[in-house]
Amino acid sequence: MNDETHQWRLETMAVRGGHERTQEQEHSEAIFTTSSFVYESAAEAARKFSGDEPGNVYSRFSNPTVQTFERRLAALEGGDRAVATSSGMAAILSLSLGLLEAGDEIVASRSLFGTSIRQFNNFLAKFGVTTHYVPLSDLEAWKAAVSPRTKLFFAETPSNPLQELVDIPALADIAHEHGIKLVIDNCFCTPALQKPLALGADLVVHSATKFLDGQGRAVGGAVVGDHATLEEIYRVNRTCGPCMSPFNAWIFLKGLETLSLRMKAHCENAMGLATWLEAHPAVERVHYSGLSHHPQHDLAAQQQSGFGAVLGVEVKNGQEGAWAVIDATKMLSITGNLGDTKTTITHPATTTHGRLSQDELASAGITPGLIRISVGIEALEDIQADLARGLDRL
Ligand SMILES: *Cc1c(COP(=O)(O)O)cnc(C)c1O
């Protein structure tokens, strides 16, 4: 990209960033569904294979559609480079394989996406990597968990579903004092609402499956950061194989084009819904960082340019009440997924967090009456009407 494109604002970058038109002069980005690439001569093939000459060899190594997505996402996050992966979990795995070795340690926030915890505990642990968990916002706990073998801090902010935050610049300072890299899973905010690299983080991971696509069509992921670190992660992807398909990369490119519009609409609806829910007599508590009584409202306002789409709502009558509200909906989708134009609703204690013990649930703040809503971009009135059916009967 030239100097002018570097100065584009986020909205422009999301629509046009990273696109290098082919000689066909296509307007919309092309999908290169090819596994390999051909050469003019044996000598050219030899130069491409050895890396003496840049260019495409095989789509596990590089693919023009995937690279367009990587350039666009890197530009949106303010990183030098991105590596696209087959899923969000593959992004976390490639990052770990690239940067860690046996004996190394990770310090991670306790309130991580459940599968991230299982990847660390069940699989990285088999290869001698140990993970210690700390409360997300407790900076002293992060500090205390550091050992000479700590290589990564891994945090998801805001957390799911209670919207707890960590002060990213403060956490980055602690990490850097000890030569540790800070990784932020930016799935919930996306670069439209939060730029972790500008706040001091070293790497960003994404599940593109969520808001980057935003329409529930494909599974994918990415890691974004500086050239040298991303080269290590790229080498894993290229050799171990969790690469993104060109077709999915194209879907994510189309998703990114509407990212900032969608995130604005998600935030506006979520704020409207949170305010409405709070005033409902069957609601005991709403967890949404946009509400002024949220304990980290000021930090959210400072660190994020929007409060996000996901909220937690505790209703009366515990699990019975929560299930009744969920079962009374006719429009909302009952699903564990989130980050979709369609509003989704789930009962964390018996689904996404169902493998936790009673003690773990209590310490994570996942009460029996808690419902998680990923607010979509339907008309707010229709979302409210769908929830009112159950709430009014409690
Ligand atoms: C969904 C999710 C992931 C995993 O992504 P997949 O694309 O499903 O592999 C990681 N982190 C967060 C915060 C998520 O919500």
Side-chain angles (χ1 to χ4, degrees), residues 87-89 92 113 116 156 185 187-188 207-210 219-220 338:
S87 66
M89 294 322 302
I92 298 171
F113 182 64
S116 304
E156 204 177 292
D185 182 333
C187 178
F188 283 86
S207 167
T209 318
K210 313 293 166 53
V219 175
L338 57 88

Side-chain angles (χ1 to χ4, degrees), residues 98-376:
L99 305 184
L100 302 173
E101 57 185 44
D104 286 345
E105 296 178 12
I106 303 173
V107 180
S109 53
R110 209 167 52 184
S111 49
L112 284 189
F113 182 64
T115 313
S116 304
I117 294 178
R118 283 197 289 284
Q119 182 179 115
F120 294 156
N121 292 357
N122 298 357
F123 298 100
L124 292 189
K126 287 209 300 192
F127 298 92
V129 172
T130 309
T131 308
H132 303 281
Y133 297 92
V134 296
L136 174 64
S137 57
D138 185 347
L139 295 170
E140 290 307 316
W142 286 90
K143 223 181 271 180
V146 170
S147 89
R149 294 309 302 262
T150 309
K151 290 282 168 61
L152 295 181
F153 274 2
F154 193 101
E156 204 177 292
T157 179
S159 74
N160 168 24
L162 296 182
Q163 301 284 294
E164 186 188 354
L165 281 79
V166 69
D167 183 329
I168 297 175
L171 188 59
D173 284 347
I174 297 170
H176 298 157
E177 265 166 43
H178 298 90
I180 295 165
K181 285 191 196 309
L182 172 61
V183 184
I184 298 288
D185 182 333
N186 203 24
C187 178
F188 283 86
C189 277
T190 81
L193 303 184
Q194 174 171 274
K195 304 283 267 304
L197 300 177
L199 293 168
D202 300 286
L203 294 162
V204 164
V205 295
H206 269 290
S207 167
T209 318
K210 313 293 166 53
F211 294 100
L212 300 188
D213 170 33
Q215 291 145 87
R217 299 169 295 189
V219 175
V223 187
V224 190
D226 65 279
H227 276 300
T229 311
L230 266 284
E231 182 59 22
E232 300 295 313
I233 295 163
Y234 165 69
R235 279 162 39 189
V236 173
N237 230 43
R238 165 182 166 144
T239 305
C240 300
C243 48
M244 179 180 282
S245 94
F247 188 74
N248 286 357
W250 182 83
I251 290 175
F252 295 130
L253 280 167
K254 295 293 122 186
L256 286 179
E257 289 184 15
T258 57
L259 178 68
S260 73
L261 276 180
R262 283 187 285 106
M263 293 314 288
K264 278 191 194 111
H266 280 297
C267 291
E268 207 178 293
N269 264 359
M271 190 69 211
L273 190 66
T275 311
W276 176 82
L277 283 169
E278 254 201 332
H280 197 287
V283 168
E284 289 182 342
R285 195 163 164 202
V286 179
H287 302 267
Y288 186 62
S289 66
L291 299 171
S292 58
H293 64 69
H294 182 280
Q296 293 173 297
H297 172 71
D298 292 343
L299 177 60
Q302 195 184 320
Q303 179 160 288
Q304 303 171 198
S305 59
F307 299 109
V310 179
L311 58 83
V313 50
E314 290 180 46
V315 300
K316 278 190 185 159
N317 299 351
Q319 177 173 328
E320 201 184 316
W323 279 26
V325 171
I326 293 170
D327 288 343
T329 61
K330 291 182 177 164
M331 179 183 83
L332 304 197
S333 315
I334 305 175
T335 171
N337 200 21
L338 57 88
D340 200 292
T341 51
K342 300 179 176 76
T343 300
T344 66
I345 186 165
T346 193
H347 183 242
T350 52
T351 61
T352 54
H353 294 68
R355 293 183 197 208
L356 301 187
S357 68
Q358 290 304 321
D359 281 351
E360 287 170 324
L361 283 174
S363 81
I366 311 293
T367 59
L370 181 73
I371 294 170
R372 183 191 75 194
I373 302 174
S374 171
V375 186

